[in-house]
Amino acid sequence: MGRKKTTSSSPESHRSPDLFLAGKLDLSCFIDSLPHGVLLLDSEHRVLDFNRFLEAMTGYNRQDAKGVRGEYIIRGNFGAITDPVGRVLESDESLVLEGDCINQNRKKIPIRFVISPLKDRSARTFGTVLVLEDISLLRDLDDKVHGLYRHDKIIGHSPRIKEILELLPIAARTDSSALITGETGTGKDLVAESIHNASKRARHPFIKVNCGAIPESLLESELFGHVRGAFTGADRDKPGMFRLAHGGTIFLTEIGDLSLPLQVKLLTVLDDKEFFPVGGSKKIKVDARIIAATHRDLGEFVRLGKFREDLYYRLNVLRIHLPALREREDDFRLLLDYFLREISTGLNKKIRGFSAASLELLSAYRYPGNIRELRNIVEYAVNVCPDETIQPEHLPKSLLAVPETPPPFIPDSGDRPTPTERDAAGDRPQESHPPLMTGPAGWGEVERAMILEALTKTGGSRTRAAELLGWSRSKLWRKIKNHGLE
């Protein structure tokens, strides 16, 4: 604490007098005591200081780097570091990113970034602070302890996604059947493939069959194969998907669309590990793990007689339910940045990011198609945008006409009503969840009403209203300004 402060090559005006507490605090000593890399940038993205941990991580000397722009110190597969830093300065909210950082010796280091505004005593933002955590050991530990090969496309830090990532190693260590549920576009295919890749069957085929996309008359032959002469046009034997998946995994997506006769045959395969091909008289043994997926409520289908109860329980040994994108607000910006980076690189376009108005539109949209729809929207915008920043006119017109919220996927539970329990007014099953908001109002009007209701309940306290809405204070303040509620 008593050592003399070294002179920086950057102008003194780049520093905040509050940050150094008028010379009473040696900031270098303070950040050197932290167990992660710490980088301080001014409002022009120039280096104010960084600690010894970051010196070792990047290979750059802190004294030589002061006054240098941050993108020359922090480089990697996440694009220019000035892009997320600029977004933090603009939004005044913290941002979490993951990527691979390249140090001075060209070594790749997996890094988790937390980028936050740097403020003086008057709460004025004059720069940013980046905390960089080396997560290479965590990734190695995941692989060694859990046997899970990380899938780069399963992205998220929200509690729901963390729970799913913790379940994947468990699902990978067993051969039991698994059922993946969730709305369309939530990533069921990626989860199934990740389970296969982390399992002992990874060296064998991963075969995907969409039960809803193949006509019923052809699906049996597609799954179980046929012998020559089984029907008109069968001029040779066909092995079928189950035989092709021998030793590996067969992924049956949209299992809820499977007909009852085929459900019986699938149940036989699950129980006996053998089946007759179409037109055949000799049983074929097969060793293939079954993972099924659906966006439908199979429990309700069982009650309606559309799905066999015994098959449902045989498939539902391991259950993974994927949340809708609207339930993953913490992951939205992470996914948006990932798709922008991936698609821009693929199209060889230098797009820095989205304007504030574009982000408002994207944040307000409800995404009935979930992650798949978000990716399609970003791909459209990147193709259309001629500049470095995506503006509202570069987004699909459908974002301007916000649709009603789609019915949520309701996980099966034992206490739900049977089809015979009818609502007297509408002859519909009674529901335990509150009715959805309907009507011509767009999401913007619904959001405005939610804010007013929260402020009313809390007597105008913005802190308590933000807690009630599950938002940060800065987000609530921004939404209040956007809706003209100051």
Side-chain angles (χ1 to χ4, degrees), residues 93 326 329-330 360 363-364 366 443-444 446-452 454-455 462-483 485:
E93 291 185 357
R326 61 184 173 274
E329 186 173 336
D330 292 347
E360 277 300 318
S363 300
R366 298 296 285 164
W443 173 244
V446 173
E447 188 176 62
R448 188 176 190 274
M450 287 167 52
I451 294 170
L452 287 171
L455 289 170
R462 293 181 180 178
T463 300
R464 290 167 55 203
E467 292 175 357
L468 193 63
L469 292 166
W471 294 346
S472 64
R473 271 183 56 84
S474 58
K475 180 173 180 178
L476 177 60
W477 172 248
R478 178 163 48 84
K479 295 286 187 183
I480 287 174
K481 288 180 66 177
N482 291 342
H483 291 292
L485 298 174

Side-chain angles (χ1 to χ4, degrees), residues 427-441:
D427 194 34
R428 288 167 42 186
Q430 297 175 357
E431 297 177 327
S432 58
H433 58 280
L436 295 170
M437 284 189 261
T438 58

Side-chain angles (χ1 to χ4, degrees), residues 181-215:
T181 58
E183 294 179 12
T184 299
T186 48
K188 297 186 288 292
D189 296 25
L190 291 179
V191 171
E193 192 172 353
S194 292
I195 293 172
H196 169 78
N197 289 338
S199 73
K200 62 184 179 182
R201 297 177 176 269
R203 294 174 297 164
H204 299 283
F206 176 79
I207 303 295
K208 176 183 173 181
V209 182
N210 189 325
C211 300
I214 304 173

Side-chain angles (χ1 to χ4, degrees), residues 224-455:
F224 305 107
H226 62 253
V227 300
R228 181 180 178 182
F231 49 82
T232 304
D235 53 356
R236 57 188 169 196
D237 291 353
K238 180 180 178 179
M241 294 301 182
F242 267 98
R243 288 184 67 182
L244 293 178
H246 183 76
T249 303
I250 184 165
F251 176 47
L252 304 176
T253 183
E254 301 307 336
I255 192 72
D257 295 336
L258 200 65
S259 67
L260 288 171
L262 285 182
Q263 291 177 31
V264 175
K265 198 159 186 175
L266 179 59
L267 185 62
T268 302
V269 178
L270 280 164
D271 287 337
D272 303 332
K273 304 293 185 184
E274 57 185 17
F275 59 88
F276 287 105
V278 176
S281 57
K282 182 180 178 181
K283 278 190 174 181
I284 295 175
K285 287 191 172 292
V286 66
D287 173 26
R289 182 188 186 179
I290 295 178
I291 299 178
T294 182
H295 70 282
R296 303 185 185 280
D297 184 351
L298 290 188
E300 183 65 19
F301 270 34
V302 168
R303 285 182 278 272
L304 294 173
K306 295 181 179 180
F307 203 86
R308 291 183 61 95
E309 185 175 21
D310 46 5
L311 176 59
Y312 171 64
Y313 289 120
R314 289 290 281 111
L315 292 173
N316 195 26
V317 178
L318 294 171
R319 176 71 167 273
I320 299 174
H321 179 69
L322 302 185
L325 180 59
R326 61 184 173 274
E327 299 169 10
R328 298 174 54 186
E329 186 173 336
D330 292 347
D331 295 333
F332 176 75
R333 284 300 297 272
L334 195 63
L335 289 163
L336 193 64
D337 292 337
Y338 174 83
F339 290 140
L340 178 63
R341 199 163 58 240
E342 178 191 51
I343 296 167
S344 297
T345 301
L347 295 175
N348 197 26
K349 298 188 75 171
K350 295 181 179 179
I351 295 182
R352 296 171 59 87
F354 297 86
S355 69
S358 297
L359 286 174
E360 277 300 318
L361 284 172
L362 289 165
S363 300
Y365 188 59
R366 298 296 285 164
Y367 299 98
N370 291 291
I371 300 172
R372 185 184 298 129
E373 184 178 14
L374 175 63
R375 191 190 189 284
N376 291 344
I377 288 171
V378 175
E379 186 171 6
Y380 174 90
V382 171
N383 275 284
V384 169
C385 179
D387 305 314
E388 292 186 346
T389 303
I390 294 174
Q391 303 292 343
E393 59 266 25
H394 304 141
L395 299 174
K397 304 303 179 189
S398 57
L399 264 70
L400 303 175
V402 181
E404 294 179 7
T405 305
F409 183 97
I410 305 168
D412 306 314
S413 60
D415 57 355
R416 293 188 56 208
T418 64
T420 57
E421 295 173 312
R422 300 294 177 184
D423 183 305
D427 194 34
R428 288 167 42 186
Q430 297 175 357
E431 297 177 327
S432 58
H433 58 280
L436 295 170
M437 284 189 261
T438 58
W443 173 244
E445 295 177 32
V446 173
E447 188 176 62
R448 188 176 190 274
M450 287 167 52
I451 294 170
L452 287 171
E453 183 180 0
L455 289 170

